[in-house]
Amino acid sequence: MKRSDPYAPECPFPPHPFSSSVADFRLGTCAAAECFRKSAWAWSDGRLDVGLGYAVAAAAATCDGTHEPCELAPYWYIALLVKARVVEAARRAFDRLRSRRTAAESPRATATSHIVQGDLLCAMGRVDDGLAEVAAGLRIAERGGVRAMLPTGYVAMALSALRRADMPVCLHFADKLAREALLGHFGQSAGAWVIAQVAEMRGGVGSAAGLIVGIVTNPVVLRQLLVSEPAAASWLVRAAGKLGACDLAEVVVATAFDISAKATRFPVTRAAALHSAGLREGDFAKLSEAGRLYPDRWCGASAREDLAGLSAARRSERADTIRILESALDTYTAVDAKRDAARVANKLREFGVRRGVVRAGACEGIFPHGLTSTEFAVADLVSRGHTNNEVGRQLFISRNTVAFHLKKVYQKMSVASRVELAVYWNVAH
């Protein structure tokens, strides 16, 4: 049966990060709202190119009334440019929008402005400035009850904290995401992906299996995720491999290539597809090309790290492996991805190369009981039943270093054993 709207997906309209109500997009009250609706549908169906075309039209349309879709349409256009990693165009669009903004914006538009600008700054590599903007947007959204934008902001904060190895902040925002999901305001597939990463970090990939299966087997969720987060395809393939779920990995790769075929103007989609396929097939050339094509620096480093994994299996390519790992380490360090930098530094040590990195805990905040962020992370993992070896693997520190931090935790919290720590911790957290 032919669809009445050629830009509507086969599946029902999914939750949208700019709206808590499907009616915002289904009821075409004006030209801007109608283009916004078509843009959102196309994006949710994995058609980034079509979605951007309609987003341009929505942002350019004029309206005599006062409708939130019209007010939000320019920010949606910028958000899509950021998702496509067309960062310079997004920056220019935001500068134009800022020059003509008025003081009469609604709380929803103001919160959206801060969060979208924060995402843009993070994509430009200005992570601290970006997170400050996201935090400002979240404060406005939380005070004003603008639930639609909360998951977008929580994802940005949790993902950044995860990469920085700031476990307390990561867990805080992951818990907020989970609460929003329970309240029916989940908002976007990226939230499920972040929660899956946190679940893997806390309890291994088996703890995230249900979420991984749910993401991959839902075509709407998977497509929405892959056009939003360029790192998601490779992470899902890697996780599916650990689970022994080859069928799930194949679905991810096929979907990533389908999206890439529909968005040929955007190198990020091609890079993500090649990265996922290179992992799935152990293909050196595809991983190498992915690392070259990615406009996102963190994703490029991730592809090079995976490339080094293949190179390491070829004993004759030791020098190349070290060079690739050092390149990945330099990039992770430049974008303040301490957790990833520590992991690569450990891999380099296996080749006899010692590189200093700023480990988690070098820029400490102070948490309850005077714990540092590393001590907090150790206490959290130990309280969940992990051994010192398991904690060390997750935090990329040695077993002896874990024991040192755990001793400090016992002293500061006045407990004498892992059992006492677990009882206290699980009650308090």
Side-chain angles (χ1 to χ4, degrees):
M1 182 175 69
K2 186 177 180 180
R3 288 179 285 175
S4 58
D5 189 334
Y7 301 102
E10 298 286 355
C11 42
F13 193 91
H16 191 280
F18 274 38
S19 175
S20 55
S21 170
V22 171
D24 282 356
F25 301 101
R26 285 198 185 283
L27 302 179
T29 52
C30 65
E34 182 68 10
C35 289
F36 200 165
R37 176 182 66 87
K38 290 181 177 180
S39 174
W41 257 342
W43 171 73
S44 296
D45 213 24
R47 291 171 291 167
L48 185 54
D49 214 343
V50 175
L52 265 169
Y54 276 106
V56 171
T62 56
C63 179
D64 296 330
T66 304
H67 309 296
E68 281 197 324
C70 303
E71 191 178 30
L72 298 177
Y75 296 113
W76 172 244
Y77 168 59
I78 295 166
L80 283 191
L81 287 174
V82 174
K83 293 176 192 301
R85 296 303 189 266
V86 189
V87 176
E88 184 56 31
R91 185 194 62 77
R92 291 195 301 268
F94 193 89
D95 287 345
R96 288 194 300 270
L97 179 59
R98 184 165 45 190
S99 69
R100 62 174 188 266
R101 279 169 59 187
T102 69
E105 280 189 333
S106 68
R108 184 173 173 182
T110 303
T112 301
S113 172
H114 281 293
I115 291 171
V116 169
Q117 183 180 10
D119 275 345
L120 170 58
L121 289 169
C122 288
M124 292 170 63
R126 295 170 55 188
V127 178
D128 288 333
D129 292 339
L131 294 179
E133 287 292 333
V134 173
L138 285 174
R139 286 194 294 271
I140 296 168
E142 289 174 337
R143 284 199 305 265
V146 186
R147 303 203 78 102
M149 290 307 299
L150 293 180
T152 300
Y154 293 160
V155 164
M157 298 298 284
L159 188 58
S160 175
L162 180 64
R163 291 177 179 175
R164 287 181 163 193
D166 191 341
M167 296 302 104
V169 171
C170 178
L171 297 174
H172 172 72
F173 284 104
D175 288 343
K176 281 179 173 282
L177 275 169
R179 285 197 294 274
E180 288 299 304
L182 291 173
L183 292 171
H185 298 283
F186 198 76
Q188 57 177 316
S189 51
W193 175 57
V194 169
I195 291 175
Q197 290 182 79
V198 173
E200 183 196 27
M201 178 198 69
R202 284 172 139 174
V205 72
S207 301
L211 272 171
I212 293 166
V213 172
I215 291 169
V216 177
T217 57
N218 185 318
V220 176
V221 170
L222 181 59
R223 285 179 177 275
Q224 195 180 78
L225 175 60
L226 297 189
V227 295
S228 303
E229 298 289 345
S234 56
W235 186 89
L236 287 170
V237 168
R238 202 177 289 111
K242 293 175 185 175
L243 291 170
C246 297
D247 55 334
L248 296 181
E250 289 167 2
V251 170
V252 173
V253 172
T255 305
F257 271 106
D258 185 54
I259 290 170
S260 174
K262 294 173 181 175
T264 55
R265 289 196 297 130
F266 307 106
V268 69
T269 61
R270 175 69 177 169
L274 287 168
H275 191 174
S276 62
L279 274 173
R280 176 75 185 91
E281 301 162 12
D283 190 305
F284 197 94
K286 287 178 179 176
L287 287 175
S288 181
E289 187 178 357
R292 181 181 59 81
L293 283 177
Y294 269 127
D296 184 296
R297 296 179 71 192
W298 186 94
C299 289
S302 176
R304 290 194 295 277
E305 183 183 353
D306 288 326
L307 179 64
L310 290 184
S311 177
R314 307 178 183 181
R315 296 181 181 276
S316 61
E317 298 184 5
R318 181 179 184 278
D320 284 342
T321 302
I322 292 172
R323 175 183 54 79
I324 296 167
L325 284 173
E326 288 185 325
S327 172
L329 175 58
D330 289 341
T331 302
Y332 283 144
T333 302
V335 298
D336 200 24
K338 295 183 181 70
R339 184 169 184 261
D340 306 293
R343 181 180 61 247
V344 173
N346 280 347
K347 292 179 179 179
L348 280 167
R349 274 193 287 274
E350 294 174 5
F351 288 90
V353 178
R354 292 194 171 272
R355 285 282 304 270
V357 297
V358 179
R359 288 190 176 277
C363 302
E364 303 288 0
I366 299 299
F367 301 96
H369 305 285
L371 299 179
T372 66
S373 62
T374 303
E375 289 164 357
F376 186 102
V378 168
D380 182 69
L381 291 168
V382 168
S383 71
R384 297 173 188 279
H386 291 285
T387 66
N388 286 7
N389 279 336
E390 291 167 342
V391 173
R393 281 197 297 272
Q394 293 195 47
L395 299 182
F396 307 106
I397 56 180
S398 72
R399 179 183 60 185
N400 291 335
T401 303
V402 172
F404 172 80
H405 287 303
L406 189 56
K407 182 179 179 181
K408 292 290 188 181
V409 169
Y410 288 171
Q411 292 171 349
K412 292 179 179 182
M413 296 184 64
S414 300
V415 297
S417 69
R418 301 171 90 92
V419 173
E420 285 185 35
L421 173 63
V423 170
Y424 183 90
W425 195 266
N426 291 328
V427 169
H429 298 83

